[in-house]
Amino acid sequence: MDDVIIIGGSFAGLAAALQLGRARRKVTVLDTGLPRNRFARHSHGLLGHDHKPPLDILAGARQQLARYPTVRLVNARADSISGIIDNFFVVTGEGESLGARRLILSYGVADQMPDVPGFAESWGTSIVPCPYCDGFEVADQHWGLVWSGPPSHNYVRLYHDWTESLTVFADGHDISPDIRADLARRNIPVVDGRIAEIAHHQGHITTVNLESGRNAGVDILFAHPRNKPSANLHEPLGLATVATPFGMALRVDERRETSTPGVYAAGDLANPAMASVTTAISQGATAGISAQQSMLV
C-alpha cells in the first residue's frame, strides 16, 4: 500500500509528489498527460521558468522526480475511488487496484469552450483568461474582454495596468446602466450583440464577428468560459464543493484537506478562479506536506 496516491500529474500534483518524495513517503502519481495549459505556448510568471513552454517544465519536473526512489509516475487514468482514511482504493483504467493511506486530487478542470467557430482554435494563443500569465507580452495593444457577468467589471480595472485600449463585448449579457456609465467614463467602448465567430489565422485573431454582421478588431481577447472538473472522482466520496463564477470547486481548508478526512485537493480543481502555475505549485506543495504530517505517529 502507498502512503499517498496523487491523481493528476501536472504542476500541483508533481509539487505534492516532490515534497512527499523528499520525506521518503511511498507515492504513486496517476496522470493522463493532458494538463489544462497544454494549449499555451509559454508559461509566464513562474520564477526560474519564465517564458518556458509548460510541457517542457513538466517534463523537467518528472525527470527530477526520478531521483526519489519512493515516487512512482504512472501514465494511467483513475476510474474510481473508494474507502476511508488509511484505507483508500483507486482503480485505474487498466483495471489495476491501488491502495493508499491518503489521497491528493489534482486532476484539474476542463474549460468549456463556447459554440463559437474559431474560439477553441484561438484558445491559449490569442484568447486567454489571465493577465498575469500573458498580459506583459501584449501590453499596450488593443485588448478585448468578453463580458461574463459582474466579475468582468473588476477585470476592466485590473487590465488598466497593461493597456489603455480596451473594448468590451457584451455577448448577449445585460450590462447595467451604472456599469455602462462607468465604462464610458473610462473611455471603454461596449460592443453589444452576440459573438458569432472569431476570425483568426492559425489561432491569431483578426476580427471578432457579431451576429449583427458587425466586425471588431482586437489584438488579444480575454475570456472566462465556465469550467468543470476533468473527472468526477470526487463525487463518490461526497466531497463538499463551493460554487464560483467559473464553475464548481472542491472546498478545502488551509491545509488543502477536503471535507473527507485524508483526502486533499490542490490546483484548479480547488481554485478555478486563479489559473496560475505558481498558485498550483504552492497548493500542491502544501497538500503534500499536510498529507505527510497527517501520517506522523
Side-chain angles (χ1 to χ4, degrees):
M1 174 175 282
D2 286 321
D3 289 310
V4 182
I5 292 175
I6 300 172
I7 303 177
S10 188
F11 291 94
L14 295 183
L18 177 60
Q19 299 302 322
L20 288 160
R22 292 187 59 78
R24 303 196 298 177
R25 291 289 184 169
K26 187 178 179 183
V27 182
T28 293
V29 181
L30 301 177
D31 185 54
T32 60
L34 297 173
R36 183 184 184 188
N37 66 351
R38 64 189 182 277
F39 303 103
R41 296 180 180 178
H42 300 95
S43 182
H44 298 119
L46 178 59
L47 187 65
H49 297 283
D50 189 41
H51 204 66
K52 289 184 180 179
L55 295 181
D56 289 356
I57 300 174
L58 289 172
R62 293 188 185 96
Q63 290 177 354
Q64 291 171 3
L65 283 171
R67 68 187 288 251
Y68 299 99
T70 60
V71 177
R72 183 170 71 115
L73 304 179
V74 180
N75 182 20
R77 183 184 71 251
D79 270 1
S80 66
I81 299 174
S82 60
I84 59 175
I85 189 170
D86 287 323
N87 198 30
F88 291 108
F89 292 95
V90 177
V91 178
T92 71
E94 288 72 32
E96 183 181 6
S97 181
L98 306 173
R101 298 179 61 193
R102 301 291 186 272
L103 295 176
I104 296 178
L105 308 182
S106 53
Y107 48 80
V109 299
D111 295 296
Q112 305 301 290
M113 298 292 105
D115 188 20
V116 174
F119 192 102
E121 294 84 352
S122 303
W123 182 249
T125 300
S126 58
I127 302 179
V128 295
C130 172
Y132 296 102
C133 302
D134 298 289
F136 182 85
E137 282 68 31
V138 292
D140 297 322
Q141 296 184 31
H142 187 175
W143 290 19
L145 169 63
V146 180
W147 200 266
S148 57
S152 296
H153 195 200
N154 292 327
Y155 300 143
V156 167
R157 291 178 287 184
L158 179 65
Y159 296 166
H160 180 74
D161 277 356
W162 286 276
T163 186
E164 298 287 343
S165 181
L166 175 65
T167 295
V168 165
F169 294 90
D171 197 29
H173 286 87
D174 183 18
I175 303 177
S176 65
D178 59 320
I179 293 180
R180 285 180 179 268
D182 181 68
L183 296 176
R185 180 180 63 82
R186 299 172 185 272
N187 296 316
I188 297 173
V190 176
V191 178
D192 288 306
R194 288 193 175 277
I195 296 174
E197 178 189 17
I198 304 296
H200 67 96
H201 176 68
Q202 296 181 344
H204 295 278
I205 292 176
T206 54
T207 58
V208 178
N209 301 340
L210 307 176
E211 290 180 349
S212 64
R214 178 180 176 182
N215 301 334
V218 295
D219 297 310
I220 191 86
L221 188 64
F222 282 79
H224 303 88
R226 291 183 64 80
N227 50 59
K228 66 178 183 179
S230 295
N232 62 358
L233 298 171
H234 53 281
E235 293 179 357
L237 296 175
L239 304 185
T241 62
V242 294
T244 80
F246 307 98
M248 182 276 290
L250 298 186
R251 189 179 75 196
V252 295
D253 62 17
E254 68 279 0
R255 299 174 60 251
R256 311 306 301 175
E257 190 168 23
T258 68
S259 59
T260 294
V263 180
Y264 300 80
D268 295 341
L269 180 63
N271 188 31
M274 181 56 74
S276 163
V277 169
T278 300
T279 302
I281 291 173
S282 172
Q283 293 179 358
T286 299
I289 292 170
S290 297
Q292 179 253 340
Q293 292 182 351
S294 75
M295 293 182 285
L296 300 177
V297 295

